[in-house]
Amino acid sequence: MKKYLFATLMAVMGVCAQAQIVSSSSSRVIRFVDEKPAEPFKPTRYVKGGFSVLNFISENDDWMSPSYYSLTGYNLVFGYDKPFFQDKTDAPLRGCISWGIEAGLSSRGTGIDLSGDYELSGDDYVEVLKHSLIVNPKLTFKIGSPKFSWYYDLGAFVRFDYATGIDAGYDDLETLFQEWTEDQNVDAGLSLGTGFWINRFEIGFGVLFGFSPLFSTGTENEIEGMTISPQFHIGWAF
């Protein structure tokens, strides 16, 4: 009888020990899964496009006392973004700093109302729209994860006008404007932007500050000022 009870007790102890080993192994597996490192930010190639509001801010009003108004433009660029520093913790919100470059098509321009102190015949306006090639290196700061992040960026761009469109209230005014002015076909300035990435989709807003004038008069009453172009765009990473 004692032998029978002893054998039964040993069998129960063996089953309990085996269960404890299995339980310990399972907990180690669970801890291993929980400690899987967070997905890092990776280099990204993307395309984005949208529309712009084109403004010219004049620093002098001596040239025929004009007033300026906004036009609608466009932007379409390809970009590359590569992280060079990022938070490697498992926190749901992580920081990342990356460098990148965008290149593509842009526009700048303004509308000019000449009906102030000068009474010309017809509709006294001129609209100047320039089509440009733009290159914009930038730094980008991201907060979030590769699946959802908020970003803001700072860049320094240069753009080259390859075509200029002029629309005036009447033909003689367009001719006069071309005689009065000379094209300025190179622009440089700063860019600011912010937006959200949701997986591969991006929606954002930015502003280009161009420090070069759209045109010059070649006289002592030179037109000085800067272009300010708010932009709205959507993008796709591939």
Side-chain angles (χ1 to χ4, degrees):
M1 185 66 179
K2 291 182 179 180
K3 291 182 179 181
Y4 177 76
L5 291 175
F6 179 75
T8 303
L9 179 61
M10 293 298 293
V12 171
M13 292 177 63
V15 171
C16 292
Q18 184 66 26
Q20 185 176 3
I21 292 173
V22 172
S23 176
S24 177
S25 300
S26 300
S27 64
R28 284 198 299 270
V29 171
I30 293 173
R31 284 196 298 271
F32 177 76
V33 172
D34 289 342
E35 293 172 1
K36 182 180 179 180
E39 182 181 359
F41 289 95
K42 298 178 180 179
T44 305
R45 296 175 178 85
Y46 59 88
V47 59
K48 66 182 183 182
F51 68 88
S52 308
V53 180
L54 309 179
N55 301 285
F56 178 73
I57 308 301
S58 176
E59 297 178 359
N60 61 324
D61 294 322
D62 298 330
W63 186 72
M64 293 188 66
S65 300
S67 60
Y68 302 92
Y69 58 90
S70 302
L71 299 179
T72 301
Y74 62 89
N75 58 89
L76 176 64
V77 297
F78 293 89
Y80 177 75
D81 182 80
K82 182 177 181 179
F84 68 86
F85 174 81
Q86 57 182 305
D87 186 358
K88 297 183 179 180
T89 66
D90 295 333
L93 296 178
R94 305 188 303 278
C96 174
I97 304 176
S98 58
W99 64 268
I101 189 169
E102 293 179 351
L105 304 177
S106 180
S107 59
R108 62 185 185 126
T110 188
I112 309 169
D113 183 1
L114 300 172
S115 62
D117 296 337
Y118 287 76
E119 293 298 330
L120 305 177
S121 59
D123 296 324
D124 304 331
Y125 73 88
V126 178
E127 294 181 350
V128 180
L129 179 62
K130 296 192 170 190
H131 308 277
S132 312
L133 300 175
I134 187 170
V135 178
N136 187 14
K138 59 175 56 179
L139 284 177
T140 301
F141 305 86
K142 297 179 182 177
I143 298 175
S145 69
K147 296 186 179 299
F148 179 84
S149 62
W150 168 68
Y151 74 87
Y152 57 97
D153 57 46
L154 171 65
F157 70 86
V158 60
R159 56 184 167 187
F160 307 92
D161 304 328
Y162 62 87
T164 300
I166 299 176
D167 179 34
Y170 52 96
D171 293 340
D172 289 344
L173 181 55
E174 181 176 341
T175 302
L176 287 173
F177 181 81
Q178 291 176 329
E179 293 176 352
W180 291 335
T181 62
E182 298 177 358
D183 260 349
Q184 300 293 313
N185 294 322
V186 179
D187 186 25
L190 298 177
S191 68
L192 298 174
T194 186
F196 296 93
W197 278 101
I198 306 172
N199 289 324
R200 293 179 177 271
F201 177 75
E202 184 245 1
I203 181 171
F205 172 81
V207 183
L208 297 181
F209 299 91
F211 300 140
S212 301
L214 292 164
F215 41 78
S216 65
T217 62
T219 68
E220 60 181 7
N221 294 325
E222 190 62 82
I223 300 174
E224 298 179 353
M226 63 183 298
T227 55
I228 300 178
S229 304
Q231 299 181 336
F232 172 81
H233 61 260
I234 58 175
W236 183 260
F238 52 87

